[in-house]
Amino acid sequence: MEPVVVGEAPDYGDVMYWDTRFALDPEPFEWYLPWEDLREVVIPRMLALGVPPHDVEVLVVGCGNSTLAEELYLEGWENITAIDTSSVVVEQMRTRCAKLTELEFHVMDACALQFPDNSFNVIVDKACLDTVLCEAEDPPAAASAAVQEAHRTLAAPGVYLLLSHGAARARLEFLTAGDPRWRVEAVRLRKGDVPGDGEEAFYFLYICTKV
């Protein structure tokens, strides 16, 4: 997917930017890593909760037109809710996934979730927090709000899975602020053919387990 140019740089904070982008190119696009590169790390963490997949409630925030929710559904986690701020992509995804009857899509802001406390066993954030940090007028406050909403709506046992390009020094301040009452583990995942062992050669999967 090629970015839609709005002014000098993409305006990630403008819903119209995303509506236009998805309207012009509705084909699936994966931020960072595809499911096959995440599967071996993500599935064991979900199984470790000790909750049968058919009883697990999953939330995917900032879903875009990624196939992630569909992949999870086909793996056996069928109780999935996916949200995005773009009404255009939500309608596209509802149409695309119409046969996956337990998979729901809603227009919603990850910084202000409209769900009760303890609603989900698994919350997956694949680049959404990174986008919030790029788009908001007050990025730290917006990122903190997104993490707090994830923690509020996550049940125990539960796990918040955050895939980010930000290393621990740039993300732990949000994940451990206040009293999050979850255990945080960071796993490095290599960026394709990027050489070396520096931070720039990896994405980071933060596994926040609430007990």
Side-chain angles (χ1 to χ4, degrees), residues 61-98:
V61 297
C63 64
N65 53 23
S66 166
T67 64
L68 176 63
E70 295 153 271
E71 299 282 5
L72 286 169
Y73 191 101
L74 295 174
E75 293 279 0
W77 284 270
E78 296 184 354
N79 302 317
I80 300 176
T81 302
I83 65 166
D84 201 281
T85 55
S86 170
S87 60
V88 170
V89 82
V90 165
E91 286 303 318
Q92 290 174 347
M93 295 300 286
R94 285 172 176 167
T95 299
R96 193 172 94 192
C97 301

Side-chain angles (χ1 to χ4, degrees), residues 4-195:
V4 178
V5 177
V6 180
E8 296 183 357
D11 186 358
Y12 293 140
D14 186 352
V15 174
M16 287 298 296
Y17 164 79
W18 294 108
D19 284 347
T20 302
R21 175 172 176 151
F22 291 125
L24 290 176
D25 192 349
E27 293 302 310
F29 177 79
E30 297 299 331
W31 291 97
Y32 302 161
L33 294 171
W35 172 245
E36 56 263 30
D37 291 346
L38 298 172
R39 186 181 185 279
E40 290 186 3
V41 180
V42 168
I43 286 185
R45 269 62 179 195
M46 295 173 70
L47 291 173
L49 297 175
V51 182
H54 62 267
D55 290 332
V56 171
E57 293 290 339
V58 179
L59 174 66
V60 179
V61 297
C63 64
N65 53 23
S66 166
T67 64
L68 176 63
E70 295 153 271
E71 299 282 5
L72 286 169
Y73 191 101
L74 295 174
E75 293 279 0
W77 284 270
E78 296 184 354
N79 302 317
I80 300 176
T81 302
I83 65 166
D84 201 281
T85 55
S86 170
S87 60
V88 170
V89 82
V90 165
E91 286 303 318
Q92 290 174 347
M93 295 300 286
R94 285 172 176 167
T95 299
R96 193 172 94 192
C97 301
K99 293 183 178 180
L100 307 181
T101 55
E102 299 301 317
L103 176 49
E104 300 181 359
F105 293 90
H106 299 283
V107 178
M108 199 178 300
D109 185 348
C111 297
L113 296 176
Q114 299 167 29
F115 302 113
D117 296 357
N118 309 311
S119 292
F120 302 98
N121 305 100
V122 177
I123 299 177
V124 184
D125 178 330
K126 189 166 176 272
C128 184
L129 186 70
D130 288 357
T131 302
V132 168
L133 283 164
C134 291
E135 71 181 19
E137 293 183 4
D138 186 348
S144 294
V147 172
Q148 289 166 11
E149 282 293 84
H151 186 273
R152 179 184 67 79
T153 56
L154 187 67
V159 63
Y160 170 51
L161 300 164
L162 166 65
L163 183 64
S164 173
H165 72 77
R169 58 183 172 78
R171 293 294 178 268
L172 288 181
E173 64 179 293
F174 303 113
L175 297 175
T176 60
D179 181 20
R181 298 186 302 284
W182 55 21
R183 182 176 65 253
V184 181
E185 174 190 0
V187 176
R188 300 197 309 176
L189 300 171
R190 184 166 288 279
K191 295 179 180 178
D193 297 327
V194 178

Side-chain angles (χ1 to χ4, degrees), residues 190-204:
R190 184 166 288 279
K191 295 179 180 178
D193 297 327
V194 178
D197 292 319
E199 291 178 352
E200 68 281 356
F202 297 91
Y203 295 114
F204 299 85

